[in-house]
PDB file of all heavy atoms in Angstrom:
ATOM      1  N   TRP A  73     120.693 126.162 138.920  1.00 92.00           N
ATOM      2  CA  TRP A  73     121.242 127.592 138.922  1.00 92.00           C
ATOM      3  C   TRP A  73     120.594 128.454 139.921  1.00 92.00           C
ATOM      4  O   TRP A  73     121.320 129.261 140.536  1.00 92.00           O
ATOM      5  CB  TRP A  73     120.912 128.100 137.412  1.00 92.00           C
ATOM      6  CG  TRP A  73     121.117 129.620 137.307  1.00 92.00           C
ATOM      7  CD1 TRP A  73     122.279 130.311 137.441  1.00 92.00           C
ATOM      8  CD2 TRP A  73     120.140 130.657 137.193  1.00 92.00           C
ATOM      9  NE1 TRP A  73     122.231 131.650 137.298  1.00 92.00           N
ATOM     10  CE2 TRP A  73     120.790 131.862 137.115  1.00 92.00           C
ATOM     11  CE3 TRP A  73     118.810 130.528 137.019  1.00 92.00           C
ATOM     12  CZ2 TRP A  73     120.092 133.107 136.914  1.00 92.00           C
ATOM     13  CZ3 TRP A  73     117.999 131.787 136.851  1.00 92.00           C
ATOM     14  CH2 TRP A  73     118.755 133.019 136.781  1.00 92.00           C
ATOM     15  N   GLN A  80     124.167 129.790 134.911  1.00 89.00           N
ATOM     16  CA  GLN A  80     122.856 129.869 134.147  1.00 89.00           C
ATOM     17  C   GLN A  80     122.943 129.108 132.855  1.00 89.00           C
ATOM     18  O   GLN A  80     123.838 129.322 132.047  1.00 89.00           O
ATOM     19  CB  GLN A  80     122.575 131.372 133.958  1.00 89.00           C
ATOM     20  CG  GLN A  80     121.295 131.640 133.384  1.00 89.00           C
ATOM     21  CD  GLN A  80     120.932 133.064 133.286  1.00 89.00           C
ATOM     22  OE1 GLN A  80     121.898 133.950 133.323  1.00 89.00           O
ATOM     23  NE2 GLN A  80     119.706 133.484 132.911  1.00 89.00           N
ATOM     24  N   VAL A 131     110.996 128.404 130.063  1.00 91.00           N
ATOM     25  CA  VAL A 131     112.183 129.197 129.944  1.00 91.00           C
ATOM     26  C   VAL A 131     112.196 130.264 130.998  1.00 91.00           C
ATOM     27  O   VAL A 131     113.296 130.659 131.466  1.00 91.00           O
ATOM     28  CB  VAL A 131     112.095 129.969 128.588  1.00 91.00           C
ATOM     29  CG1 VAL A 131     112.968 131.107 128.477  1.00 91.00           C
ATOM     30  CG2 VAL A 131     112.279 128.943 127.418  1.00 91.00           C
ATOM     31  N   THR A 132     111.022 130.751 131.545  1.00 90.00           N
ATOM     32  CA  THR A 132     111.128 131.694 132.694  1.00 90.00           C
ATOM     33  C   THR A 132     111.735 131.170 133.902  1.00 90.00           C
ATOM     34  O   THR A 132     112.108 131.931 134.790  1.00 90.00           O
ATOM     35  CB  THR A 132     109.658 132.227 132.981  1.00 90.00           C
ATOM     36  OG1 THR A 132     108.863 131.160 133.222  1.00 90.00           O
ATOM     37  CG2 THR A 132     109.073 133.046 131.867  1.00 90.00           C
ATOM     38  N   LEU A 133     111.836 129.859 134.063  1.00 88.00           N
ATOM     39  CA  LEU A 133     112.561 129.291 135.182  1.00 88.00           C
ATOM     40  C   LEU A 133     114.033 129.615 135.208  1.00 88.00           C
ATOM     41  O   LEU A 133     114.703 129.750 136.249  1.00 88.00           O
ATOM     42  CB  LEU A 133     112.442 127.848 135.184  1.00 88.00           C
ATOM     43  CG  LEU A 133     111.200 127.238 135.888  1.00 88.00           C
ATOM     44  CD1 LEU A 133     111.291 125.685 135.730  1.00 88.00           C
ATOM     45  CD2 LEU A 133     111.182 127.502 137.392  1.00 88.00           C
ATOM     46  N   GLY A 134     114.596 129.938 134.011  1.00 88.00           N
ATOM     47  CA  GLY A 134     116.029 130.176 133.832  1.00 88.00           C
ATOM     48  C   GLY A 134     116.389 131.642 133.820  1.00 88.00           C
ATOM     49  O   GLY A 134     117.512 132.014 133.604  1.00 88.00           O
ATOM     50  N   VAL A 135     115.382 132.591 134.107  1.00 87.00           N
ATOM     51  CA  VAL A 135     115.705 134.103 134.175  1.00 87.00           C
ATOM     52  C   VAL A 135     115.215 134.469 135.471  1.00 87.00           C
ATOM     53  O   VAL A 135     114.374 133.948 136.156  1.00 87.00           O
ATOM     54  CB  VAL A 135     114.916 134.733 132.989  1.00 87.00           C
ATOM     55  CG1 VAL A 135     115.509 134.346 131.653  1.00 87.00           C
ATOM     56  CG2 VAL A 135     113.381 134.491 133.059  1.00 87.00           C
ATOM     57  N   ARG A 136     115.823 135.576 135.984  1.00 81.00           N
ATOM     58  CA  ARG A 136     115.639 136.068 137.338  1.00 81.00           C
ATOM     59  C   ARG A 136     114.936 137.386 137.335  1.00 81.00           C
ATOM     60  O   ARG A 136     114.133 137.664 138.257  1.00 81.00           O
ATOM     61  CB  ARG A 136     116.923 136.026 138.114  1.00 81.00           C
ATOM     62  CG  ARG A 136     116.807 136.348 139.584  1.00 81.00           C
ATOM     63  CD  ARG A 136     118.107 136.080 140.231  1.00 81.00           C
ATOM     64  NE  ARG A 136     118.496 134.663 140.239  1.00 81.00           N
ATOM     65  CZ  ARG A 136     119.682 134.140 140.604  1.00 81.00           C
ATOM     66  NH1 ARG A 136     120.619 134.905 140.869  1.00 81.00           N
ATOM     67  NH2 ARG A 136     119.886 132.845 140.499  1.00 81.00           N
ATOM     68  N   ASP A 137     115.244 138.288 136.331  1.00 81.00           N
ATOM     69  CA  ASP A 137     114.771 139.608 136.389  1.00 81.00           C
ATOM     70  C   ASP A 137     113.277 139.665 135.902  1.00 81.00           C
ATOM     71  O   ASP A 137     112.921 138.854 134.997  1.00 81.00           O
ATOM     72  CB  ASP A 137     115.582 140.532 135.535  1.00 81.00           C
ATOM     73  CG  ASP A 137     115.202 141.952 135.649  1.00 81.00           C
ATOM     74  OD1 ASP A 137     115.550 142.567 136.699  1.00 81.00           O
ATOM     75  OD2 ASP A 137     114.481 142.411 134.677  1.00 81.00           O
ATOM     76  N   ARG A 138     112.436 140.431 136.655  1.00 82.00           N
ATOM     77  CA  ARG A 138     110.981 140.360 136.245  1.00 82.00           C
ATOM     78  C   ARG A 138     110.751 140.940 134.813  1.00 82.00           C
ATOM     79  O   ARG A 138     109.924 140.487 134.141  1.00 82.00           O
ATOM     80  CB  ARG A 138     110.288 141.271 137.206  1.00 82.00           C
ATOM     81  CG  ARG A 138     108.762 141.344 136.953  1.00 82.00           C
ATOM     82  CD  ARG A 138     108.156 142.289 138.082  1.00 82.00           C
ATOM     83  NE  ARG A 138     108.435 141.953 139.409  1.00 82.00           N
ATOM     84  CZ  ARG A 138     108.133 142.733 140.447  1.00 82.00           C
ATOM     85  NH1 ARG A 138     107.541 143.818 140.269  1.00 82.00           N
ATOM     86  NH2 ARG A 138     108.501 142.384 141.625  1.00 82.00           N
ATOM     87  N   ARG A 139     111.634 141.930 134.474  1.00 87.00           N
ATOM     88  CA  ARG A 139     111.360 142.480 133.120  1.00 87.00           C
ATOM     89  C   ARG A 139     111.877 141.497 132.023  1.00 87.00           C
ATOM     90  O   ARG A 139     111.125 141.358 130.968  1.00 87.00           O
ATOM     91  CB  ARG A 139     112.228 143.749 132.943  1.00 87.00           C
ATOM     92  CG  ARG A 139     111.856 144.929 133.779  1.00 87.00           C
ATOM     93  CD  ARG A 139     112.790 146.059 133.687  1.00 87.00           C
ATOM     94  NE  ARG A 139     113.923 145.701 134.283  1.00 87.00           N
ATOM     95  CZ  ARG A 139     115.037 146.632 134.357  1.00 87.00           C
ATOM     96  NH1 ARG A 139     114.931 147.859 133.856  1.00 87.00           N
ATOM     97  NH2 ARG A 139     116.168 146.284 134.982  1.00 87.00           N
ATOM     98  N   ARG A 140     112.732 140.568 132.347  1.00 87.00           N
ATOM     99  CA  ARG A 140     113.005 139.551 131.357  1.00 87.00           C
ATOM    100  C   ARG A 140     111.983 138.574 131.228  1.00 87.00           C
ATOM    101  O   ARG A 140     111.818 137.922 130.213  1.00 87.00           O
ATOM    102  CB  ARG A 140     114.426 138.889 131.701  1.00 87.00           C
ATOM    103  CG  ARG A 140     115.585 139.850 131.646  1.00 87.00           C
ATOM    104  CD  ARG A 140     116.875 139.228 131.979  1.00 87.00           C
ATOM    105  NE  ARG A 140     118.072 140.153 131.823  1.00 87.00           N
ATOM    106  CZ  ARG A 140     119.278 139.874 132.039  1.00 87.00           C
ATOM    107  NH1 ARG A 140     119.686 138.570 132.617  1.00 87.00           N
ATOM    108  NH2 ARG A 140     120.230 140.700 131.950  1.00 87.00           N
ATOM    109  N   VAL A 141     111.386 138.181 132.347  1.00 88.00           N
ATOM    110  CA  VAL A 141     110.289 137.352 132.337  1.00 88.00           C
ATOM    111  C   VAL A 141     109.160 137.825 131.439  1.00 88.00           C
ATOM    112  O   VAL A 141     108.494 137.105 130.617  1.00 88.00           O
ATOM    113  CB  VAL A 141     109.697 137.045 133.746  1.00 88.00           C
ATOM    114  CG1 VAL A 141     108.467 136.153 133.754  1.00 88.00           C
ATOM    115  CG2 VAL A 141     110.821 136.341 134.656  1.00 88.00           C
ATOM    116  N   LEU A 142     108.750 139.134 131.678  1.00 89.00           N
ATOM    117  CA  LEU A 142     107.846 139.763 130.788  1.00 89.00           C
ATOM    118  C   LEU A 142     108.261 139.758 129.419  1.00 89.00           C
ATOM    119  O   LEU A 142     107.354 139.551 128.432  1.00 89.00           O
ATOM    120  CB  LEU A 142     107.515 141.187 131.278  1.00 89.00           C
ATOM    121  CG  LEU A 142     106.848 141.275 132.648  1.00 89.00           C
ATOM    122  CD1 LEU A 142     106.693 142.823 133.086  1.00 89.00           C
ATOM    123  CD2 LEU A 142     105.553 140.649 132.761  1.00 89.00           C
ATOM    124  N   ALA A 143     109.424 139.955 129.088  1.00 89.00           N
ATOM    125  CA  ALA A 143     110.006 140.022 127.726  1.00 89.00           C
ATOM    126  C   ALA A 143     109.843 138.614 127.116  1.00 89.00           C
ATOM    127  O   ALA A 143     109.559 138.524 125.963  1.00 89.00           O
ATOM    128  CB  ALA A 143     111.527 140.473 127.723  1.00 89.00           C
ATOM    129  N   VAL A 144     110.111 137.558 127.858  1.00 88.00           N
ATOM    130  CA  VAL A 144     110.032 136.173 127.301  1.00 88.00           C
ATOM    131  C   VAL A 144     108.558 135.939 126.916  1.00 88.00           C
ATOM    132  O   VAL A 144     108.319 135.481 125.768  1.00 88.00           O
ATOM    133  CB  VAL A 144     110.461 135.067 128.347  1.00 88.00           C
ATOM    134  CG1 VAL A 144     110.120 133.771 127.900  1.00 88.00           C
ATOM    135  CG2 VAL A 144     112.014 135.265 128.479  1.00 88.00           C
ATOM    136  N   VAL A 145     107.625 136.151 127.796  1.00 89.00           N
ATOM    137  CA  VAL A 145     106.236 135.868 127.525  1.00 89.00           C
ATOM    138  C   VAL A 145     105.734 136.813 126.458  1.00 89.00           C
ATOM    139  O   VAL A 145     105.053 136.370 125.463  1.00 89.00           O
ATOM    140  CB  VAL A 145     105.432 136.109 128.846  1.00 89.00           C
ATOM    141  CG1 VAL A 145     103.943 135.970 128.544  1.00 89.00           C
ATOM    142  CG2 VAL A 145     105.815 135.180 129.894  1.00 89.00           C
ATOM    143  N   ALA A 181     104.389 131.021 133.472  1.00 89.00           N
ATOM    144  CA  ALA A 181     105.450 132.031 133.853  1.00 89.00           C
ATOM    145  C   ALA A 181     105.263 132.515 135.347  1.00 89.00           C
ATOM    146  O   ALA A 181     106.248 132.468 136.118  1.00 89.00           O
ATOM    147  CB  ALA A 181     105.526 133.142 132.919  1.00 89.00           C
ATOM    148  N   VAL A 185     107.907 131.805 138.398  1.00 89.00           N
ATOM    149  CA  VAL A 185     108.478 132.860 139.218  1.00 89.00           C
ATOM    150  C   VAL A 185     108.184 132.612 140.630  1.00 89.00           C
ATOM    151  O   VAL A 185     108.943 132.794 141.569  1.00 89.00           O
ATOM    152  CB  VAL A 185     108.063 134.321 138.630  1.00 89.00           C
ATOM    153  CG1 VAL A 185     108.344 135.420 139.634  1.00 89.00           C
ATOM    154  CG2 VAL A 185     108.598 134.466 137.243  1.00 89.00           C
ATOM    155  N   VAL A 188     110.019 129.741 142.303  1.00 89.00           N
ATOM    156  CA  VAL A 188     111.447 130.107 142.600  1.00 89.00           C
ATOM    157  C   VAL A 188     111.499 130.965 143.826  1.00 89.00           C
ATOM    158  O   VAL A 188     112.355 130.827 144.628  1.00 89.00           O
ATOM    159  CB  VAL A 188     112.023 130.661 141.346  1.00 89.00           C
ATOM    160  CG1 VAL A 188     113.482 131.222 141.717  1.00 89.00           C
ATOM    161  CG2 VAL A 188     112.182 129.677 140.270  1.00 89.00           C
TER     162      VAL A 188
END
Side-chain angles (χ1 to χ4, degrees):
W73 167 68
Q80 187 178 13
V131 168
T132 52
L133 273 176
V135 295
R136 189 167 292 167
D137 187 77
R138 184 182 305 173
R139 290 175 295 181
R140 293 182 180 178
V141 173
L142 295 176
V144 170
V145 176
V185 171
V188 170

